[in-house]
Amino acid sequence: MKKFKLAFAISIVLLATACQNQKESLDAVGIMPLPASVIPASGSFQVNESTSIQISGSGEELSFIADYLAQKLRNATGFAIPVSGDAGSIVLDLKSNSGDESYELEIGEEKIVISSNGVSGIFYGVQTLLQAFPAELFSPNPSNQTWEVPAGKIVDKPKYAYRGSMLDVSRHFMGVEEVKHYIDLMAELKLNYLHLHLTDDQGWRIEIKSWPKLTEIGGSTQVGGGEGGYYTQEDYVDIVKYASQRFITIVPEVDMPGHTNAILASYGELNSGINLPDGDTETVTKSVEKAEGELKKSNIIREPAELYTGIEVGFSTLDTDLELTYQLIDDVVRELSAITPGPYFHIGGDESHVTKKDDYIYFIERVQEIVKSHGKISIGWDEIATTTLLPGNVAQFWAMADNAKLAQEQGNQVLMSPAKKAYLDMQYDSTTRIGLHWAAYIELDSAYLWDPANYTDGITKKDILGVEAPLWTETVVTRDDLEYLVFPRLAAIAEVAWTPTEKRNWESFKKRIAIQGKRWELRDINFYKSPKVDW
């Protein structure tokens, strides 16, 4: 009996030790997205009162990253964590500044070194390091515990150059602080593009100084009739800077020639004579059906459209024959490009149901030239590929695989955002409290289990610029709403965009997203707890 008790006691100790070792292993800490290579080692690095950060390299961006890391560690541990260029136990080693996003992270018992040939790579290495600590590091309050990170080496780089998300701030407006909050959460997942859907039928959200009524009138409402809102150009510059510090590039979208009722409500002289009342679905449908006939009238009375607060689409269009239309577009692109350092300008182009085909082609091709004249590259929803695209311009695949193929055949790249996989506004299932389901119900496993490079025939990895997950906001009113629909699915899309396909595994993801869930919980992020995961 004594031998049995002794054997039982030993087995308990061994089991406890095994569990402890598993928790301390670098490949079991829940890094998101999964790195290309993780090699665990024995031992761990412990943050204590003597821990400091050394900058090896120069530049404002590197200094920001060091301060960013130090502040995260200070908030959790209460230690001073000084930053200098002399010596330190955590080293940020910028070998050059080539723009490289790859990085190496080496964790030893005495020192941690993050090295890269680009500052963005250093930043991504910092995000990985933070996730290697206990989840309590993400708590807003200091915690009195042992702050250890398991030893090992990570070698990592992204699969796609463009890894993004889209926020529709037109249907429901989101203030500057809400956008910054979203940027912070994106940055932790190594996403690097934020596409802002700034204009639609329901609201115009960016100040244009040469056309002030766009915000005075067009920005005054939203879906359901709320007060709306807009960003001043100073607000927008603030967002751009905040995002840039976290290596996220802003892509502004002005949707046209459809989805333009807010423009037509602001400037009646641009209106082709179709005034859509704010009514029920039947009224909207009838208006769409008769719109093309109305546009053919030779005697057009140009009056402001009524402001629109519904969610139906396809009824509005700019007048593609009116020179004033192109003056507005040129002014908008000029003013917005001047405060957008990123390379892309999104011209929309989707669901322009009442624009005649020939007029649509003429319009998109002319607008591409306007965008080019202001030094930007056009991105548009996949419908733009039915026109002749300028070299380098990008078609964003959301609905029609044939359109994506048209872009590829013209030698242009595709941005992958298939609605059935990547649309964050889709419900998880029929019981989801908000969201839509016209494309699909998208549970967490569905958002994860797809590969952009073989999603549609004829489009391979070389044809793909990257992956973007859009959030349309017909049903999104509050921050809680946003978080509920976006998380955890955005983490799944981030891994689709970052991690080599052969490394991705649903069972592994389920374990790691549960750990990520603890990080979100500590910050009161209102994420959806999918029944597919053991949280």
PDB file of all heavy atoms in Angstrom, residues 507-522:
ATOM      1  N   GLU A 507      -6.731  22.817 -35.235  1.00  0.00           N
ATOM      2  CA  GLU A 507      -6.609  22.373 -33.844  1.00  0.00           C
ATOM      3  C   GLU A 507      -5.621  23.249 -33.078  1.00  0.00           C
ATOM      4  O   GLU A 507      -5.852  23.596 -31.912  1.00  0.00           O
ATOM      5  CB  GLU A 507      -6.191  20.900 -33.791  1.00  0.00           C
ATOM      6  CG  GLU A 507      -7.236  19.934 -34.331  1.00  0.00           C
ATOM      7  CD  GLU A 507      -8.571  20.045 -33.597  1.00  0.00           C
ATOM      8  OE1 GLU A 507      -8.549  20.168 -32.349  1.00  0.00           O
ATOM      9  OE2 GLU A 507      -9.622  20.010 -34.263  1.00  0.00           O
ATOM     10  N   SER A 508      -4.533  23.600 -33.729  1.00  0.00           N
ATOM     11  CA  SER A 508      -3.562  24.505 -33.106  1.00  0.00           C
ATOM     12  C   SER A 508      -4.179  25.884 -32.882  1.00  0.00           C
ATOM     13  O   SER A 508      -4.011  26.490 -31.810  1.00  0.00           O
ATOM     14  CB  SER A 508      -2.326  24.632 -33.997  1.00  0.00           C
ATOM     15  OG  SER A 508      -1.539  25.746 -33.622  1.00  0.00           O
ATOM     16  N   PHE A 509      -4.895  26.366 -33.881  1.00  0.00           N
ATOM     17  CA  PHE A 509      -5.518  27.686 -33.766  1.00  0.00           C
ATOM     18  C   PHE A 509      -6.508  27.724 -32.606  1.00  0.00           C
ATOM     19  O   PHE A 509      -6.562  28.708 -31.858  1.00  0.00           O
ATOM     20  CB  PHE A 509      -6.214  28.049 -35.080  1.00  0.00           C
ATOM     21  CG  PHE A 509      -6.883  29.404 -35.052  1.00  0.00           C
ATOM     22  CD1 PHE A 509      -6.150  30.563 -35.247  1.00  0.00           C
ATOM     23  CD2 PHE A 509      -8.242  29.509 -34.817  1.00  0.00           C
ATOM     24  CE1 PHE A 509      -6.762  31.805 -35.213  1.00  0.00           C
ATOM     25  CE2 PHE A 509      -8.867  30.748 -34.776  1.00  0.00           C
ATOM     26  CZ  PHE A 509      -8.122  31.894 -34.976  1.00  0.00           C
ATOM     27  N   LYS A 510      -7.302  26.679 -32.455  1.00  0.00           N
ATOM     28  CA  LYS A 510      -8.285  26.643 -31.369  1.00  0.00           C
ATOM     29  C   LYS A 510      -7.617  26.816 -29.997  1.00  0.00           C
ATOM     30  O   LYS A 510      -8.139  27.515 -29.124  1.00  0.00           O
ATOM     31  CB  LYS A 510      -9.071  25.322 -31.392  1.00  0.00           C
ATOM     32  CG  LYS A 510     -10.131  25.249 -32.466  1.00  0.00           C
ATOM     33  CD  LYS A 510     -11.145  24.150 -32.178  1.00  0.00           C
ATOM     34  CE  LYS A 510     -10.535  22.782 -32.073  1.00  0.00           C
ATOM     35  NZ  LYS A 510     -11.565  21.735 -31.856  1.00  0.00           N
ATOM     36  N   LYS A 511      -6.485  26.167 -29.802  1.00  0.00           N
ATOM     37  CA  LYS A 511      -5.791  26.282 -28.521  1.00  0.00           C
ATOM     38  C   LYS A 511      -5.229  27.684 -28.325  1.00  0.00           C
ATOM     39  O   LYS A 511      -5.321  28.262 -27.241  1.00  0.00           O
ATOM     40  CB  LYS A 511      -4.659  25.251 -28.454  1.00  0.00           C
ATOM     41  CG  LYS A 511      -5.135  23.810 -28.430  1.00  0.00           C
ATOM     42  CD  LYS A 511      -3.956  22.843 -28.473  1.00  0.00           C
ATOM     43  CE  LYS A 511      -4.451  21.397 -28.529  1.00  0.00           C
ATOM     44  NZ  LYS A 511      -3.306  20.443 -28.644  1.00  0.00           N
ATOM     45  N   ARG A 512      -4.666  28.237 -29.387  1.00  0.00           N
ATOM     46  CA  ARG A 512      -4.044  29.553 -29.261  1.00  0.00           C
ATOM     47  C   ARG A 512      -5.072  30.675 -29.157  1.00  0.00           C
ATOM     48  O   ARG A 512      -4.857  31.668 -28.452  1.00  0.00           O
ATOM     49  CB  ARG A 512      -3.099  29.787 -30.447  1.00  0.00           C
ATOM     50  CG  ARG A 512      -1.830  28.938 -30.365  1.00  0.00           C
ATOM     51  CD  ARG A 512      -0.894  29.140 -31.543  1.00  0.00           C
ATOM     52  NE  ARG A 512      -1.439  28.590 -32.782  1.00  0.00           N
ATOM     53  CZ  ARG A 512      -1.875  29.299 -33.794  1.00  0.00           C
ATOM     54  NH1 ARG A 512      -1.826  30.631 -33.757  1.00  0.00           N
ATOM     55  NH2 ARG A 512      -2.359  28.715 -34.880  1.00  0.00           N
ATOM     56  N   ILE A 513      -6.215  30.538 -29.835  1.00  0.00           N
ATOM     57  CA  ILE A 513      -7.227  31.596 -29.748  1.00  0.00           C
ATOM     58  C   ILE A 513      -7.862  31.616 -28.361  1.00  0.00           C
ATOM     59  O   ILE A 513      -8.310  32.674 -27.884  1.00  0.00           O
ATOM     60  CB  ILE A 513      -8.303  31.431 -30.852  1.00  0.00           C
ATOM     61  CG1 ILE A 513      -9.082  32.744 -31.052  1.00  0.00           C
ATOM     62  CG2 ILE A 513      -9.265  30.306 -30.551  1.00  0.00           C
ATOM     63  CD1 ILE A 513      -8.265  33.893 -31.553  1.00  0.00           C
ATOM     64  N   ALA A 514      -7.875  30.471 -27.671  1.00  0.00           N
ATOM     65  CA  ALA A 514      -8.377  30.448 -26.293  1.00  0.00           C
ATOM     66  C   ALA A 514      -7.470  31.268 -25.377  1.00  0.00           C
ATOM     67  O   ALA A 514      -7.943  31.963 -24.467  1.00  0.00           O
ATOM     68  CB  ALA A 514      -8.480  29.013 -25.797  1.00  0.00           C
ATOM     69  N   ILE A 515      -6.163  31.197 -25.618  1.00  0.00           N
ATOM     70  CA  ILE A 515      -5.220  32.008 -24.842  1.00  0.00           C
ATOM     71  C   ILE A 515      -5.380  33.478 -25.195  1.00  0.00           C
ATOM     72  O   ILE A 515      -5.380  34.360 -24.330  1.00  0.00           O
ATOM     73  CB  ILE A 515      -3.778  31.529 -25.092  1.00  0.00           C
ATOM     74  CG1 ILE A 515      -3.624  30.082 -24.626  1.00  0.00           C
ATOM     75  CG2 ILE A 515      -2.777  32.435 -24.378  1.00  0.00           C
ATOM     76  CD1 ILE A 515      -2.301  29.444 -25.020  1.00  0.00           C
ATOM     77  N   GLN A 516      -5.554  33.765 -26.493  1.00  0.00           N
ATOM     78  CA  GLN A 516      -5.807  35.143 -26.923  1.00  0.00           C
ATOM     79  C   GLN A 516      -7.092  35.669 -26.281  1.00  0.00           C
ATOM     80  O   GLN A 516      -7.176  36.849 -25.911  1.00  0.00           O
ATOM     81  CB  GLN A 516      -5.912  35.207 -28.450  1.00  0.00           C
ATOM     82  CG  GLN A 516      -6.226  36.582 -29.019  1.00  0.00           C
ATOM     83  CD  GLN A 516      -5.131  37.593 -28.778  1.00  0.00           C
ATOM     84  OE1 GLN A 516      -3.960  37.252 -28.753  1.00  0.00           O
ATOM     85  NE2 GLN A 516      -5.509  38.845 -28.586  1.00  0.00           N
ATOM     86  N   GLY A 517      -8.069  34.801 -26.131  1.00  0.00           N
ATOM     87  CA  GLY A 517      -9.315  35.202 -25.483  1.00  0.00           C
ATOM     88  C   GLY A 517      -9.096  35.711 -24.069  1.00  0.00           C
ATOM     89  O   GLY A 517      -9.759  36.658 -23.619  1.00  0.00           O
ATOM     90  N   LYS A 518      -8.139  35.102 -23.333  1.00  0.00           N
ATOM     91  CA  LYS A 518      -7.827  35.565 -21.984  1.00  0.00           C
ATOM     92  C   LYS A 518      -7.273  36.983 -22.028  1.00  0.00           C
ATOM     93  O   LYS A 518      -7.576  37.814 -21.165  1.00  0.00           O
ATOM     94  CB  LYS A 518      -6.825  34.627 -21.329  1.00  0.00           C
ATOM     95  CG  LYS A 518      -7.371  33.232 -21.058  1.00  0.00           C
ATOM     96  CD  LYS A 518      -6.297  32.326 -20.470  1.00  0.00           C
ATOM     97  CE  LYS A 518      -6.832  30.905 -20.279  1.00  0.00           C
ATOM     98  NZ  LYS A 518      -5.775  29.987 -19.768  1.00  0.00           N
ATOM     99  N   ARG A 519      -6.459  37.270 -23.035  1.00  0.00           N
ATOM    100  CA  ARG A 519      -5.916  38.629 -23.182  1.00  0.00           C
ATOM    101  C   ARG A 519      -7.033  39.624 -23.441  1.00  0.00           C
ATOM    102  O   ARG A 519      -7.033  40.737 -22.907  1.00  0.00           O
ATOM    103  CB  ARG A 519      -4.892  38.661 -24.322  1.00  0.00           C
ATOM    104  CG  ARG A 519      -3.706  37.728 -24.115  1.00  0.00           C
ATOM    105  CD  ARG A 519      -2.750  37.772 -25.310  1.00  0.00           C
ATOM    106  NE  ARG A 519      -1.736  36.719 -25.187  1.00  0.00           N
ATOM    107  CZ  ARG A 519      -1.458  35.805 -26.109  1.00  0.00           C
ATOM    108  NH1 ARG A 519      -2.126  35.814 -27.259  1.00  0.00           N
ATOM    109  NH2 ARG A 519      -0.533  34.902 -25.905  1.00  0.00           N
ATOM    110  N   TRP A 520      -7.979  39.240 -24.292  1.00  0.00           N
ATOM    111  CA  TRP A 520      -9.112  40.131 -24.562  1.00  0.00           C
ATOM    112  C   TRP A 520      -9.969  40.325 -23.314  1.00  0.00           C
ATOM    113  O   TRP A 520     -10.413  41.439 -23.026  1.00  0.00           O
ATOM    114  CB  TRP A 520      -9.949  39.564 -25.706  1.00  0.00           C
ATOM    115  CG  TRP A 520      -9.323  39.698 -27.063  1.00  0.00           C
ATOM    116  CD1 TRP A 520      -8.501  40.696 -27.502  1.00  0.00           C
ATOM    117  CD2 TRP A 520      -9.486  38.809 -28.171  1.00  0.00           C
ATOM    118  NE1 TRP A 520      -8.136  40.482 -28.808  1.00  0.00           N
ATOM    119  CE2 TRP A 520      -8.726  39.336 -29.251  1.00  0.00           C
ATOM    120  CE3 TRP A 520     -10.193  37.621 -28.363  1.00  0.00           C
ATOM    121  CZ2 TRP A 520      -8.669  38.719 -30.498  1.00  0.00           C
ATOM    122  CZ3 TRP A 520     -10.136  37.005 -29.609  1.00  0.00           C
ATOM    123  CH2 TRP A 520      -9.383  37.546 -30.661  1.00  0.00           C
ATOM    124  N   GLU A 521     -10.209  39.249 -22.589  1.00  0.00           N
ATOM    125  CA  GLU A 521     -11.036  39.337 -21.375  1.00  0.00           C
ATOM    126  C   GLU A 521     -10.451  40.320 -20.366  1.00  0.00           C
ATOM    127  O   GLU A 521     -11.180  41.081 -19.726  1.00  0.00           O
ATOM    128  CB  GLU A 521     -11.180  37.962 -20.732  1.00  0.00           C
ATOM    129  CG  GLU A 521     -12.189  37.055 -21.409  1.00  0.00           C
ATOM    130  CD  GLU A 521     -12.305  35.706 -20.710  1.00  0.00           C
ATOM    131  OE1 GLU A 521     -11.329  35.310 -20.029  1.00  0.00           O
ATOM    132  OE2 GLU A 521     -13.354  35.059 -20.841  1.00  0.00           O
ATOM    133  N   LEU A 522      -9.136  40.291 -20.211  1.00  0.00           N
ATOM    134  CA  LEU A 522      -8.480  41.164 -19.240  1.00  0.00           C
ATOM    135  C   LEU A 522      -8.665  42.641 -19.574  1.00  0.00           C
ATOM    136  O   LEU A 522      -8.524  43.502 -18.716  1.00  0.00           O
ATOM    137  CB  LEU A 522      -6.991  40.826 -19.158  1.00  0.00           C
ATOM    138  CG  LEU A 522      -6.673  39.507 -18.440  1.00  0.00           C
ATOM    139  CD1 LEU A 522      -5.255  39.054 -18.737  1.00  0.00           C
ATOM    140  CD2 LEU A 522      -6.887  39.660 -16.936  1.00  0.00           C
TER     141      LEU A 522
END
